[in-house]
Amino acid sequence: MRTLFLILISFVFGEGKNFDSQLIAYLDKKLSNYTKYEFQIMQSFKKFAKIEINTEKKFKIVKNYGYLPVTLYDKDNNASSSLLTIKLKLFKNVLVALQAINRNEELMNSMFTEKNIDISLLTGKPIDPAENILDHRSRMFMKEGDILQKEMIEPVPLVFKGDNIVLHAGKNGVDITVDCIARQEGRIGDVISIQSVNKLYKAKIIDKYNLMLVE
């Protein structure tokens, strides 16, 4: 179950209001992809007789703030639209680096530990601990304590720059092969630059050792 950090809702909205249970039910639904959340209401609407969530408009989250469309009613039941600002903490299970990891270093499960952390201020998209990070490498230097994010990693290339590979060419069932050297790295389906003696070609990676000439 997620936990809630309720900051004086009755004080913010006045005594006897039903808005607290309405708001919690709404946030439970909208924030169901997080393991838990905490929130703090940033405004006081005590001068209004009633407040309702406007479900026809979109609830927006910008980093650690949520903007909730509401309808406010005064003592004469006159309605006006407003935005309720809610400060949020949004928790997810993430992978946290146990050590420094260099750029292009292949990832291992032992490099990380799983933690439940507030990610509301995170700029990237965190990796789900259930995802397989093997056969991936770091795209940048990571320090101990960094949260692993999708933008930080990439698949390990199948072909590396300097690898000896075989270029296949020909038509009508004729297979012409030429020994070459890879000048770029890539994975299956990627088109990379390769070299035979002093001539450069573009070829598509078929597997670790074979590439097909791209004309």
Side-chain angles (χ1 to χ4, degrees):
M1 287 293 292
R2 61 183 57 85
T3 58
L4 309 176
F5 187 53
L6 226 52
I7 300 295
L8 298 177
I9 284 185
S10 60
F11 174 78
V12 174
F13 298 110
E15 296 296 336
K17 301 304 177 185
N18 228 4
F19 187 74
D20 50 357
S21 57
Q22 184 187 161
L23 177 59
I24 292 169
Y26 183 88
L27 292 178
D28 278 352
K29 182 178 180 180
K30 293 296 182 180
L31 304 177
S32 60
N33 57 325
Y34 297 97
T35 56
K36 67 177 182 177
Y37 65 87
E38 299 174 357
F39 71 94
Q40 179 180 357
I41 296 169
M42 305 303 292
Q43 297 133 292
S44 174
F45 289 125
K46 289 190 71 174
K47 67 178 182 178
F48 291 94
K50 185 172 66 172
I51 179 171
E52 292 180 347
I53 296 173
N54 186 342
T55 56
E56 294 181 358
K57 293 186 177 180
K58 187 176 181 181
F59 174 57
K60 295 182 180 179
I61 298 176
V62 181
K63 292 191 179 296
N64 62 328
Y65 284 93
Y67 299 94
L68 176 64
V70 294
T71 303
L72 304 172
Y73 297 88
D74 64 18
K75 60 183 178 60
D76 297 319
N77 209 36
N78 296 312
S80 60
S81 296
S82 185
L83 282 177
L84 178 64
T85 302
I86 303 172
K87 191 173 184 180
L88 295 167
K89 287 186 177 182
L90 305 170
F91 292 81
K92 273 191 173 181
N93 291 325
V94 297
L95 294 174
V96 178
L98 291 170
Q99 62 188 69
I101 301 171
N102 294 318
R103 183 176 181 271
N104 290 338
E105 187 172 352
E106 293 192 31
L107 303 181
M108 297 183 292
N109 292 327
S110 59
M111 295 175 172
F112 303 93
T113 186
E114 183 176 336
K115 289 186 178 181
N116 190 244
I117 291 178
D118 172 24
I119 63 163
S120 58
L121 291 175
L122 206 62
T123 55
K125 187 174 182 180
I127 297 287
D128 190 305
E131 292 186 43
N132 182 19
I133 61 171
L134 301 179
D135 297 325
H136 284 73
R137 66 181 184 181
S138 174
R139 296 180 62 188
M140 61 190 70
F141 174 79
M142 284 185 268
K143 64 181 183 297
E144 181 181 349
D146 279 351
I147 297 173
L148 187 63
Q149 302 166 57
K150 289 187 181 296
E151 297 80 5
M152 293 178 171
I153 68 173
E154 62 186 3
V156 175
L158 189 65
V159 174
F160 290 88
K161 182 178 179 180
D163 282 357
N164 294 312
I165 49 87
V166 177
L167 173 64
H168 295 262
K171 295 181 179 180
N172 301 321
V174 177
D175 184 23
I176 301 171
T177 61
V178 180
D179 291 333
C180 296
I181 296 175
R183 290 306 177 200
Q184 293 175 298
E185 60 185 27
R187 294 179 62 84
I188 291 177
D190 291 344
V191 175
I192 65 171
S193 176
I194 62 175
Q195 182 176 354
S196 175
V197 190
N198 294 321
K199 191 167 183 178
L200 293 175
Y201 301 94
K202 289 290 185 181
K204 179 183 288 189
I205 298 174
I206 306 301
D207 59 33
K208 183 172 177 61
Y209 302 105
N210 299 280
L211 287 79
M212 183 66 66
L213 178 67
V214 174
E215 298 181 359

